[in-house]
Amino acid sequence: MTESGLPSRRGAVFGKLAAATLARLLYRVKITGAENVPRTGPVILAPNHTGFLDAPLLMGTCPRPVHTLAKKELFKGPLGWLLHAVGQIPLDRDDPSRSMIKSGIGVLDDGRILVVFPEGTRGSGDFSELRTGLAWFALRSGAPVIPVVFTGTASRGRTFGAMPGFRSRVEAVFGRPVTLPAGGGRTRSALDAATEQLREALVAHREAVASRTEEHT
């Protein structure tokens, strides 16, 4: 954290450069739809989550540095030091803390990019069930939400053995922005409605990517 209490902007820049370099050394990386990410101002990225590679791949493929809400269990030992150093934010998925919320909103208020995995954990990555955190941040900040779908990052399960092989092709596909009205989620019903609106947009993006992939196989 910096003196302002926000994650390090400089650390996120370094993290992007390091992740991009490693990704291109280890895999054949393709980036689609990067033009959909606004070049300035607050942005929320909402990726699907199927494998261990998703977060670092997004860090390396997004056109701008990112600050990711990541489960607090990762912030231990050397890995925890590294995650803090590159500007990432610990998240207790069962009891979101005031400091996490302050950091996430602070990142957006400072015109940066916040990554929120809307499903909350690795899984099928189909966006069938979303937690309300994504909609809350979008409504609170007014920042556009960019759906992101990964292909090739996992295929055999949820262990490290499921990571793609050396020089495999992986892709990050950035969708079109979805904007919710700022300050519109002050009631639970409004928050639920916003979550459903985002879910529909994320599912539509995932299905479009899946359809395109099938056409090329």
Side-chain angles (χ1 to χ4, degrees):
M1 294 288 181
T2 63
E3 291 183 1
S4 66
L6 294 180
S8 169
R9 182 189 290 269
R10 182 178 297 179
V13 171
F14 174 79
K16 171 179 169 50
L17 294 174
T21 299
L22 285 174
R24 294 191 180 281
L25 285 173
L26 297 174
Y27 305 106
R28 292 181 293 126
V29 179
K30 181 177 181 180
I31 305 171
T32 302
E35 68 278 4
N36 290 322
V37 180
R39 293 301 184 261
T40 59
V43 176
I44 300 172
L45 298 183
N48 69 336
H49 199 13
T50 60
F52 289 99
L53 186 62
D54 297 337
L57 179 63
L58 183 57
M59 186 184 296
T61 56
C62 182
R64 295 165 55 190
V66 304
H67 301 275
T68 302
L69 295 176
K71 63 180 182 180
K72 68 175 184 178
E73 290 82 2
L74 295 175
F75 288 78
K76 298 177 180 178
L79 177 59
W81 177 89
L82 177 61
L83 290 174
H84 279 297
V86 296
Q88 308 314 295
I89 304 170
L91 166 66
D92 185 332
R93 292 175 293 186
D94 298 317
D95 184 22
S97 66
R98 183 179 297 274
S99 62
M100 180 277 294
I101 293 173
K102 182 178 179 181
S103 295
I105 289 298
V107 161
L108 294 170
D109 287 346
D110 198 42
R112 308 190 210 174
I113 293 184
L114 180 69
V115 179
V116 180
F117 285 99
E119 298 163 292
T121 187
R122 290 189 307 276
S124 61
D126 61 1
F127 297 123
S128 59
E129 295 185 9
L130 266 60
R131 298 194 175 197
T132 58
L134 174 64
W136 188 89
F137 277 109
L139 289 167
R140 166 61 178 77
S141 66
V145 176
I146 308 292
V148 186
V149 167
F150 302 105
T151 66
T153 57
S155 60
R156 299 187 301 276
R158 298 175 61 182
T159 66
F160 280 107
M163 292 183 66
F166 179 65
R167 302 306 295 168
S168 295
R169 176 175 171 172
V170 295
E171 182 179 14
V173 186
F174 297 85
R176 294 180 179 178
V178 181
T179 302
L180 302 177
R186 298 187 182 278
T187 66
R188 180 68 195 200
S189 60
L191 184 60
D192 289 342
T195 298
E196 179 59 20
Q197 179 183 343
L198 289 172
R199 190 191 70 80
E200 291 176 356
L202 298 179
V203 168
H205 178 55
R206 184 193 64 80
E207 290 178 347
V209 172
S211 177
R212 184 210 61 183
T213 303
E214 289 176 359
E215 290 176 358
H216 289 83
T217 57

